Amino acid sequence: MCIACDTKTLHAESSDEFGERYIQILNHGALAVMISIGHRSGLFAAMRRTGPATSQGIAEAAGLNERYVREWLGAMICGGIATCDETGSVFSLIPAASSALTGSDGAENLAYLAQYVAMMGSVEDKVIRCFHNGGGVPYSEFPRFHEVMAQDSAQTVVGALFDHILPLVPGLSLALHNGIDVLDVGCGCGKALLALAERFPNSRFTGWDLSTEATRAAAAEAGSLGLTNVRFEARDLTDFHHSAPPAAFDLITAFDAIHDQARPDHVLAGIRRALRPDGLFLMQDIGASSNVAENTGHLIGTLLYSLSCTHCMTVSLAQGGLGVGAMWGETMTREFLNNAGFRQIERHTLPHDIQNYYYLVKP
Ligand SMILES: C[S@@+](CC[C@H](N)C(=O)[O-])C[C@H]1O[C@@H](n2cnc3c(N)ncnc32)[C@H](O)[C@@H]1O
């Protein structure tokens, strides 16, 4: 639900109207957690395979306990994700949900997104403690974060990399084809870099990220793909303004990774230092205004501020960082880029990505 109401409409809302809206809020919040369970347990995939089936049939297809599956199906029926026959015993996914939540019809499978809602709930106690005492919740308290982020990256970045993202920069694909040095900052599990390294064997790729778990997974995948032109390393980039190798890269990328750094200012200054004079910094980061009043109509503003509060901002604060938050917005992003010594900043949007801006940045 998009709660994109203007101030006047909201102030005129009656208690009954708010009550109805609140019920929807509760229903949709609960449904998101159940969608996450359906995705992770393989229930959506099983329902896609079985077609119309009983709870027993679906449970068997998914290899799960029937009693739990039947209760989960209740939520799917009431939530409008599935339908059942009159006896309430034969269940099917509605076609649009099958498409969006299993990727049938060749569509993008968007079910992974609901995992973020479940993740927020999993750290509630720790976040509340920070509301009282300040500080942050560290990455170690989010055991599934890198796994979910890798699924996210595979869809939003890798899926659009060659047809939409690289073409933002005329000549970039050719330069990559000929061979350049590329760094991905905050590379996570390295999905974008692995795809680039596979496509452009003449270029050399480096991925740095705080997480040992994520960079190990990335290196293992590079090994299993037989890639020799990409390397991943666990590195804390908090002091990147000092530690960045000077003029070492032609292209530096950061996919959804600057705002949740401990020190985005230091990282950006390091990127400036590590870029060659005619180099390019390609930065994907959350698309929003730095003024919350201008974000009231943001299609996923509620979700993004919530994710920021329970993840992006808090992991930065946990490192003693600035905690700029996911919704730091374009004005603040430009300020940080300017302070890091960047003067040419172009901002693009891409139709496949309702969440991010794409900044093409040069010294
Ligand atoms: C939102 S994730 C994006 C990951 C990856 N770019 C992707 O699209 O899948 C942000 C990444 O920044 C990394 N990060 C956070 N603080 C960092 C720090 N101080 N030094 C290096 N990396 C850091 C996290 O480990 C995480 O992988």
Side-chain angles (χ1 to χ4, degrees):
M1 179 171 63
C2 171
I3 311 172
C5 303
D6 63 60
T7 307
K8 212 168 144 196
T9 314
L10 283 174
H11 279 280
E13 192 174 37
S14 70
S15 298
D16 282 353
E17 284 165 341
F18 179 75
E20 273 175 33
R21 192 152 66 83
Y22 186 47
I23 287 168
Q24 290 307 314
I25 290 168
L26 295 175
N27 272 327
H28 287 154
L31 189 57
V33 175
M34 296 307 267
I35 288 174
S36 175
I37 290 175
H39 175 63
R40 291 183 63 191
S41 64
L43 272 165
F44 288 127
M47 288 184 80
R48 177 180 163 184
R49 284 198 305 278
T50 60
T54 61
S55 57
Q56 189 62 45
I58 295 166
E60 277 170 17
L64 298 169
N65 180 288
E66 187 277 337
R67 181 67 194 94
Y68 278 88
V69 171
R70 192 164 13 114
E71 214 66 2
W72 178 82
L73 283 164
M76 293 303 112
I77 297 298
C78 294
I81 305 292
T83 54
C84 60
D85 68 351
E86 280 176 10
T87 66
S89 51
V90 177
F91 305 91
S92 2
L93 284 177
I94 64 165
S98 176
S99 167
L101 304 178
T102 76
S104 62
D105 311 335
E108 207 182 338
N109 183 347
L110 300 171
Y112 72 91
L113 286 167
Q115 297 174 101
Y116 286 123
V117 178
M119 188 182 77
M120 287 192 263
S122 74
V123 290
E124 185 190 20
D125 290 351
K126 290 163 185 106
V127 172
I128 288 175
R129 226 170 284 144
C130 297
F131 271 80
H132 289 289
N133 305 328
V137 180
Y139 275 101
S140 54
E141 299 291 348
F142 297 83
R144 297 197 60 248
F145 173 73
H146 289 293
E147 181 190 336
V148 175
M149 191 66 227
Q151 291 176 31
D152 195 340
S153 171
Q155 307 250 111
T156 56
V157 179
V158 178
L161 201 48
F162 303 112
D163 294 337
H164 301 288
I165 300 176
L166 296 185
L168 286 172
V169 188
L172 182 56
S173 295
L174 182 61
L176 284 159
H177 173 77
N178 290 337
I180 56 174
D181 291 299
V182 182
L183 169 68
D184 189 27
V185 167
C187 62
C189 294
K191 294 292 177 193
L193 220 49
L194 289 162
L196 286 166
E198 206 170 12
R199 175 72 69 103
F200 300 111
N202 295 332
S203 283
R204 301 152 295 277
F205 299 90
T206 302
W208 286 331
D209 193 284
L210 179 67
S211 167
T212 306
E213 174 205 335
T215 46
R216 273 199 192 137
E221 196 171 343
S224 66
L225 291 168
L227 296 172
T228 54
N229 59 338
V230 60
R231 63 197 170 98
F232 294 97
E233 201 185 317
R235 251 176 106 148
D236 184 348
L237 299 174
T238 305
D239 69 348
F240 202 43
H241 54 321
H242 295 311
S243 63
F249 298 98
D250 304 293
L251 171 69
I252 301 184
T253 54
F255 296 105
D256 194 13
I258 297 298
H259 66 264
D260 48 10
Q261 293 295 308
R263 294 297 303 252
D265 51 348
H266 292 178
V267 174
L268 291 173
I271 289 171
R272 169 73 185 84
R273 181 176 141 120
L275 264 188
R276 292 190 174 131
D278 55 350
L280 171 79
F281 174 37
L282 168 58
M283 168 179 168
Q284 177 212 45
D285 215 287
I286 302 295
S289 168
S290 301
N291 176 358
V292 65
E294 291 172 359
N295 288 330
T296 55
H298 195 300
L299 191 59
I300 49 170
T302 311
L303 177 65
L304 292 173
Y305 275 112
S306 307
L307 278 169
S308 178
C309 189
T310 59
H311 181 78
C312 310
M313 179 190 76
T314 196
V315 293
S316 173
L317 292 173
Q319 298 178 59
L322 300 180
V324 296
M327 296 292 274
W328 62 329
E330 185 174 358
T331 305
M332 195 173 177
T333 305
R334 284 177 179 274
E335 251 171 53
F336 273 57
L337 286 166
N338 282 327
N339 291 343
F342 291 109
R343 293 292 168 262
Q344 302 176 62
I345 305 167
E346 265 181 43
R347 192 266 277 166
H348 296 262
T349 53
L350 287 172
H352 82 280
D353 189 346
I354 57 167
Q355 178 174 304
N356 294 295
Y357 288 156
Y358 291 79
Y359 297 94
L360 307 183
V361 183
K362 289 182 181 172

